[in-house]
């Protein structure tokens, strides 16, 4: 996932891709926490995490693990 770029065909992750991003970060979060993060990230409930939804959630997560 990258920011809006005219050369990319899409600038979003589906829920499964987003879950894999969280899992690959080895943050040791529970399935329940994963579902909560996914629900929070998908602000417009379209089942994809757009770049504008992804960035603030990931910043919050990274700040919380400092």
């Amino acid at each position: 996932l990258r920011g809006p770029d005219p050369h990319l065909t899409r600038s979003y992750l589906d829920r499964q891709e987003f879950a894999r991003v969280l899992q690959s970060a080895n943050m040791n979060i529970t399935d329940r926490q994963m579902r909560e993060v996914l629900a929070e990230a998908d602000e417009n409930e379209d089942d994809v995490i757009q770049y504008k939804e992804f960035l603030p959630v990931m910043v919050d997560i990274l700040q919380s693990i400092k």
Side-chain angles (χ1 to χ4, degrees):
L1 177 71
R2 294 187 203 154
D5 182 333
H7 302 290
L8 295 176
T9 57
R10 65 181 215 181
S11 60
Y12 63 86
L13 297 172
D14 64 34
R15 285 176 164 256
Q16 291 177 331
E17 291 168 325
F18 186 67
R20 283 193 299 268
V21 168
L22 294 177
Q23 290 168 341
S24 69
N26 293 322
M27 296 181 348
N28 298 320
I29 62 175
T30 66
D31 287 343
R32 180 179 178 204
Q33 290 169 319
M34 176 99 53
R35 287 191 304 273
E36 289 172 359
V37 169
L38 288 168
E40 181 181 337
D42 189 11
E43 293 176 358
N44 60 358
E45 299 178 0
D46 62 353
D47 290 326
V48 296
I49 311 303
Q50 298 169 358
Y51 181 76
K52 67 181 182 176
E53 296 170 321
F54 175 83
L55 192 57
V57 169
M58 290 311 294
V59 168
D60 288 346
I61 290 171
L62 291 172
Q63 288 178 342
S64 72
I65 61 175
K66 282 186 178 180

